[in-house]
Amino acid sequence: MSLPSALTAVAPLAKSLADQTKENSWINILIFVGFVAITMVVVFRASRNNNTAADYYAAGRSFSGGQNGTAIAGDYLSAASFLGITGAIAINGYDGFLYSIGFLVAWLVALLLVAELLRNTGKFTMADVLAFRLKQRPVRIAAATTTLVVCFFYLLAQMAGAGGLVSLLLGLDSSNLVGQNIVIAVVGVLMIVYVLIGGMKGTTWVQIIKAFLLIIGAAIMTIIVLAMNGFNLSALMDAAVQTSVNEGGVGEALLNPGAAYGKAPLDFISLALALVLGTAALPHVLMRFYTVPTAKEARKSVVWAIWLIGGFYIFTLVLGYGAGALIGKQAILDAPGGVNAAAPLLAFVIGGPLLLGFISAVAFATILAVVAGLTITAAASFAHDIYSNVIVKGEPKPEMEVKVARRTVVVIGLVAIGGGILANGQNIAFLVALAFAIAASANLPTIIYSLFWKKFTTQGALWSMYGGLAAAIILIAFSPVVSGSEKAMIHGADFAWFPLANPGIISIPLAFFLGWLGTVLDKNAEDPRIQAEMEVRSLTGIGAEKAVDH
Amino acid sequence: MGNSAHESAAGPVDFVAEQNSEEFQALKKSHRSFVLPVAAGFLLWYFAYVLLAAYAHDFMSIKVWGNINIGLILGLLQFVTTFGITAWYVSYANRKLDPQATVIRQRLEAQIDAANLTKEEV
């Protein structure tokens, strides 16, 4: 979600800020080490009962709705949300705010249509639900494929982002690639340790602690910024406009839509569609609903998540305009880390090195918590869907599945480190948008159809999942983010024929259409008894997986 | 191949008959008659907002109070409606959905327990 810019002018404020943050980088490191130490103790304590698959993947289904809702907020409020949206509002004003609305409204899809029904019918993974009443093997393979692809892109974005963040937070130069790569490796190794030892329980606690720190930190900053402007939002916006005018920027236009998407409204609509429909189909979000004992607790989780995430996005509105007012667009773009530097620089200006250290450590913790959640989801999908249900055909030796999952964690961790190093410095914004677009096109139609449409068949599911996946990836490969524009991934080449940066507006409706077409053309009908069982289970909770007693 | 990999939780329950029962149909109707229209409603409202933000810049830029313009108010209203729909659904589910679902679930669980008991006695 970062919005890189090629501006080269050097503003003195940014330079002095960057120097000062560099001098104080030991405070950042100290606070971050403290976070790691505390979470490690929690993870070790949480790991004592991690023997069965239900313990390892679903934390024994023993978290309360409030705990799980906080963990969901910790999982969902990634560095892109915190640093990216604050920076986007500071630089593009109103258009940055648009992101947060899509990210929040999306939770209503999860609340109304997905969370409880999924909790009642599934066991560990998204594929459990999708394959419930369809043919197990092909549907599981398809669902595991889309799960792994979404997790991979999301993971890559987080890891690559970690490298960029470091330049600002630890005072490394943007050109110090070795230093950045070491940090990417440290993040990867820590993440492997958390997930390997702590399983879902440890991961959940890391996310809860991180969500708590992030929301407290953002709340403190919001109160300080508002207090500086007499608790008047309009006065704060005035100050941001004034700073913008002083540096020769857009001024008043900061308050109106159009700064980022004025010339590309279709691009914005496509992104809006992917955001609102992608959230309820992100595998790592869906998997969190299995960590609570009942569907009612799953509902409570979403309610908690909506309040926490919504409150947080309102904070980012204040923080974004606050950064715009106190630091200014030019100074932010000139700082190492660019647009992502807005929130840390603001922390420094209003709270000195200590608040900067706290916010920087939270930003690191954010990346750790999110990559841990993604890794356990991908490992569970491989071990449970591919290994247990496809390779050994539903008859794994006891404890073998968890063993396979743990090995997968190590492999994914190493792939994430390697991928993060390769993708370091790339335009990572499109990776996150792509993950949402793939989730919305490849997963959501099949989730909705299999929960709400009696006649839905295996062929419909396969056409929709593979069709949606292929459409999203092909369109992005031939879009301006990969080639043919200034900010493109591959410089100097131009094979783009799809004009939009986000494929959602085409690939999502296409996937819904393919699911319908595949079903009506299918000569085989599915077993109505299993459809009946799924429907009764989904609404009543009969036969749903119970919490594990220890 | 087939559907053998997921074990049926409730051997003795005839789910097709259960699905067609009046009690279950009433629960299903209570659920769908709420979630489907509300989902359609909030998606329409969200996309109306997105289209205004994308194409109606002048309208969104009209100032209402100080620097607070229509765009910001509509954006914050999206937050308000999201919180409101959440509270509305929770209250509806607690009042209407949970009691119906509990009755059916308890009846089916009793049926399963009885069947298991007979099995053990034999």
Side-chain angles (χ1 to χ4, degrees):
Chain A
M1 212 174 299
S2 66
L3 306 160
S5 164
L7 291 168
T8 48
V10 176
L13 176 64
K15 200 145 201 171
S16 68
L17 278 176
D19 286 342
Q20 276 172 293
T21 57
K22 204 176 280 189
E23 281 161 27
N24 291 304
S25 62
W26 62 271
I27 300 183
N28 306 359
I29 297 172
L30 210 67
I31 298 178
F32 179 63
V33 170
F35 172 83
V36 171
I38 292 168
T39 45
M40 278 294 169
V41 172
V42 173
V43 165
F44 270 97
R45 288 177 61 94
S47 70
R48 280 177 301 193
N49 281 315
N50 256 344
N51 307 319
T52 67
D55 287 319
Y56 192 71
Y57 301 142
R61 313 189 193 283
S62 57
F63 280 105
S64 71
Q67 288 171 327
N68 188 39
T70 313
I72 289 174
D75 210 348
Y76 193 64
L77 298 172
S78 63
S81 288
F82 176 43
L83 305 175
I85 291 180
T86 307
I89 295 174
I91 285 169
N92 292 317
Y94 188 82
D95 276 16
F97 180 52
L98 290 170
Y99 276 118
S100 45
I101 293 170
F103 277 126
L104 176 68
V105 172
W107 279 96
L108 288 177
V109 180
L111 177 72
L112 295 174
L113 302 179
V114 179
E116 295 171 46
L117 308 179
L118 177 112
R119 173 62 188 84
N120 274 337
T121 44
K123 206 167 171 187
F124 301 126
T125 62
M126 183 182 78
D128 286 338
V129 176
L130 302 191
F132 192 103
R133 64 187 173 93
L134 306 176
K135 290 199 177 59
Q136 287 285 324
R137 269 170 68 95
V139 176
R140 261 192 202 278
I141 294 172
T145 307
T146 63
T147 298
L148 292 172
V149 171
V150 171
C151 287
F152 176 74
F153 281 117
Y154 217 110
L155 198 56
L156 206 58
Q158 300 293 326
M159 296 297 278
L165 257 186
V166 177
S167 43
L168 174 79
L169 305 180
L170 293 186
L172 298 174
D173 287 323
S174 311
S175 55
N176 186 348
L177 278 182
V178 179
Q180 293 189 13
N181 290 344
I182 290 173
V183 175
I184 291 176
V186 169
V187 168
V189 170
L190 278 174
M191 175 264 282
I192 293 174
V193 174
Y194 281 138
V195 179
L196 211 51
I197 298 170
M200 185 52 112
K201 210 175 277 174
T203 303
T204 304
W205 279 113
V206 172
Q207 288 168 343
I208 290 174
I209 296 171
K210 171 240 142 165
F212 183 74
L213 293 175
L214 177 63
I215 291 169
I216 294 285
I220 293 172
M221 286 174 66
T222 302
I223 291 169
I224 298 176
V225 169
L226 280 178
M228 292 166 83
N229 291 280
F231 291 97
N232 182 341
L233 186 62
S234 181
L236 170 65
M237 292 163 86
D238 233 358
V241 170
Q242 203 51 53
T243 308
S244 176
V245 170
N246 289 346
E247 62 179 21
V250 291
E252 281 268 324
L254 210 53
L255 309 179
N256 306 330
Y261 298 104
K263 293 194 187 84
L266 261 184
D267 237 338
F268 169 64
I269 293 167
S270 189
L271 176 71
L273 192 65
L275 294 184
V276 82
L277 297 180
T279 299
L282 289 173
H284 64 290
V285 166
L286 296 178
M287 197 171 165
R288 292 230 51 90
F289 296 128
Y290 297 124
T291 65
V292 291
T294 60
K296 192 167 176 149
E297 291 296 320
R299 180 193 309 152
K300 278 188 198 159
S301 316
V302 187
V303 173
W304 271 82
I306 286 176
W307 283 105
L308 291 172
I309 293 167
F312 180 82
Y313 284 142
I314 291 177
F315 294 156
T316 60
L317 180 67
V318 174
L319 297 181
Y321 279 121
L326 293 166
I327 303 158
K329 176 178 176 174
Q330 208 57 57
I332 293 168
L333 289 177
D334 289 337
V339 66
N340 285 331
L345 288 180
L346 180 66
F348 183 75
V349 170
I350 64 178
L354 206 64
L355 189 58
L356 171 70
F358 181 73
I359 292 301
S360 305
V362 168
F364 266 119
T366 290
I367 291 177
L368 262 182
V370 176
V371 293
L374 289 164
T375 303
I376 194 153
T377 304
S381 182
F382 180 79
H384 181 66
D385 297 328
I386 302 282
Y387 173 78
S388 279
N389 283 296
V390 174
I391 296 178
V392 295
K393 302 196 172 135
E395 289 155 2
K397 291 196 191 84
E399 311 205 349
M400 201 49 207
E401 188 180 308
V402 174
K403 220 174 253 175
V404 171
R406 287 198 153 107
R407 282 177 204 158
T408 314
V409 167
V410 178
V411 173
I412 293 169
L414 295 176
V415 170
I417 294 172
I421 288 173
L422 285 178
N424 189 9
Q426 289 282 3
N427 171 5
I428 61 162
F430 88 98
L431 290 173
V432 172
L434 182 59
F436 272 83
I438 294 175
S441 359
N443 298 342
L444 192 74
T446 304
I447 294 174
I448 299 289
Y449 283 145
S450 58
L451 290 172
F452 288 91
W453 187 23
K454 199 171 181 174
K455 293 203 178 85
F456 190 51
T457 68
T458 301
Q459 180 171 296
L462 296 178
W463 284 20
S464 172
M465 280 193 275
Y466 286 125
L469 180 68
I473 290 185
I474 290 170
L475 290 180
I476 205 99
F478 294 101
S479 77
V481 285
V482 171
S483 76
S485 77
E486 273 174 49
K487 295 175 192 167
M489 227 173 103
I490 304 166
H491 291 283
D494 185 359
F495 47 85
W497 47 260
F498 183 66
L500 304 178
N502 195 293
I505 202 168
I506 305 286
S507 63
I508 298 168
L510 179 73
F512 272 102
F513 172 73
L514 286 174
W516 171 81
L517 189 71
T519 299
V520 295
L521 293 182
D522 200 343
K523 291 187 194 81
N524 309 312
E526 305 297 332
D527 186 345
R529 283 170 306 169
I530 304 176
Q531 193 278 330
E533 180 178 348
M534 184 175 184
E535 193 169 289
V536 173
R537 274 180 68 160
S538 72
L539 285 176
T540 62
I542 179 75
E545 297 287 327
K546 299 265 190 322
V548 179
D549 283 326
H550 282 299
Chain B
M1 230 152 54
N3 297 287
S4 54
H6 84 85
E7 65 274 37
S8 181
V13 176
D14 179 353
F15 278 108
V16 177
E18 189 56 47
Q19 185 184 34
N20 293 323
S21 73
E22 242 171 68
E23 217 175 5
F24 182 77
Q25 286 300 323
L27 169 64
K28 185 173 160 184
K29 188 162 178 269
S30 305
H31 181 253
R32 294 199 174 179
S33 66
F34 185 94
V35 298
L36 296 181
V38 173
F42 86 76
L43 284 174
L44 276 178
W45 158 227
Y46 171 72
F47 281 109
Y49 167 76
V50 164
L51 288 174
L52 283 174
Y55 293 105
H57 292 175
D58 291 339
F59 170 73
M60 298 293 257
S61 306
I62 297 171
K63 286 190 180 177
V64 177
W65 178 77
N67 283 315
I68 313 290
N69 56 23
I70 290 181
L72 188 68
I73 291 173
L74 289 184
L76 290 174
L77 274 180
Q78 291 283 338
F79 280 71
V80 173
T81 50
T82 301
F83 293 144
I85 289 170
T86 304
W88 185 26
Y89 171 70
V90 168
S91 124
Y92 181 82
N94 288 339
R95 275 185 300 116
K96 292 273 169 68
L97 301 180
D98 288 351
Q100 293 185 63
T102 310
V103 170
I104 298 174
R105 188 175 62 243
Q106 282 171 349
R107 181 164 48 73
L108 293 180
E109 272 169 355
Q111 210 176 323
I112 296 164
D113 288 345
N116 287 344
L117 214 63
T118 342
K119 221 180 274 169
E120 277 166 32
E121 278 166 8
V122 173

